[in-house]
Amino acid sequence: MMTRRTMSELRLDEYLGALAGNKPAPGGGSAAALVGALAAACAEMVANFTVGKKKYADVEAEMREHLEAIGALRAALTTLVQADADAYSAVGAAYAMSKSNDAEKAARAQAMQQALRGAADVQLALARLCAQLAPHLPPLAERGNRNLISDVGVAARLCRATFDCAVLNVEVNLALMEDAEFALRARMTLDALREPTHRTCDCVWEQAMAAVRGG
């Protein structure tokens, strides 16, 4: 019997094929998590090209700290690629439950609400991880290897895009949920994270763009 492979065990072309196919998972939430992992990987690469270089010896300790933290964030983001696929599969399974009588309708409704909350939780986690990644980007742009400033810019743009996609996916699930208190807490969390994440990513993007243009 073949064991089911996780999203991270698929080749890139296999994952893209699964994403493009006619099955509900992986979907946009999983794709957003993958983009977040790519953002972290780009940032991690810049730190890796900075440590061990004589030119950047004065920031060696700082860059190693960023390197370790970003690596942990990349690992966490990577787990969400599968976690979102699992969560959305649970939503699909709940929708597919029988509703031929009142008892089944009630069980289906309860399962749907639980599954929707699970899916929202994954995307809330994605937004939080992006908010944690963003503060590591300005030091890389300011003191990291200058030859990779464009990669810091890419990391910033991907981080911002992932955050926004996570917000969208949370809202998709909240729209179908009956737990108003959970929805309020989720939106308050996202509102608190949005401005600093956007501001940081946008500043790094502009800094990278100015650097490559010679400004």
Side-chain angles (χ1 to χ4, degrees):
M1 180 178 179
M2 293 182 62
T3 58
R4 183 176 69 99
R5 289 185 295 165
T6 64
M7 296 292 115
S8 61
E9 292 172 328
L10 299 178
R11 297 194 315 267
L12 178 58
D13 63 317
E14 290 177 324
Y15 177 82
L16 293 177
L19 182 63
N22 61 355
K23 294 183 179 180
S30 176
L34 177 58
V35 173
L38 291 172
C42 283
E44 199 173 353
M45 175 177 62
V46 177
N48 267 316
F49 269 91
T50 305
V51 298
K53 301 291 191 298
K54 291 182 179 180
K55 183 177 180 180
Y56 301 100
D58 57 334
V59 294
E60 174 89 10
E62 178 190 3
M63 288 297 140
R64 287 195 180 278
E65 290 179 359
H66 290 299
L67 186 60
E68 181 178 358
I70 296 168
L73 289 170
R74 175 167 62 88
L77 287 159
T78 301
T79 66
L80 296 187
V81 178
Q82 179 66 49
D84 185 85
D86 291 340
Y88 201 74
S89 293
V91 172
Y95 273 105
M97 290 175 64
S98 176
K99 49 180 179 177
S100 59
N101 56 53
D102 288 345
E104 288 184 347
K105 288 178 182 177
R108 178 178 180 271
Q110 182 179 6
M112 285 175 55
Q113 291 301 306
Q114 290 175 344
L116 289 167
R117 176 163 181 163
D121 279 335
V122 172
Q123 293 297 303
L124 280 168
L126 180 57
R128 290 189 184 98
L129 289 171
C130 290
Q132 292 171 35
L133 174 61
H136 293 285
L137 304 180
L140 295 177
E142 294 163 9
R143 296 180 292 282
N145 192 316
R146 299 304 296 170
N147 293 327
L148 281 79
I149 185 63
S150 62
D151 296 289
V152 187
V154 169
R157 209 57 151 185
L158 294 182
C159 182
R160 189 191 202 279
T162 301
F163 180 88
D164 289 344
C165 289
V167 172
L168 176 64
N169 286 318
V170 170
E171 289 291 348
V172 165
N173 291 291
L174 294 184
L176 300 172
M177 291 178 63
E178 299 172 355
D179 190 339
E181 183 179 349
F182 176 83
L184 177 61
R185 291 198 308 270
R187 289 182 174 124
M188 288 178 64
T189 295
L190 295 174
D191 286 345
L193 297 175
R194 182 182 292 104
E195 195 279 331
T197 303
H198 280 185
R199 182 183 68 251
T200 300
C201 290
D202 288 348
C203 286
V204 171
W205 172 262
E206 292 300 331
Q207 186 175 352
M209 186 64 75
V212 300
R213 286 176 172 172

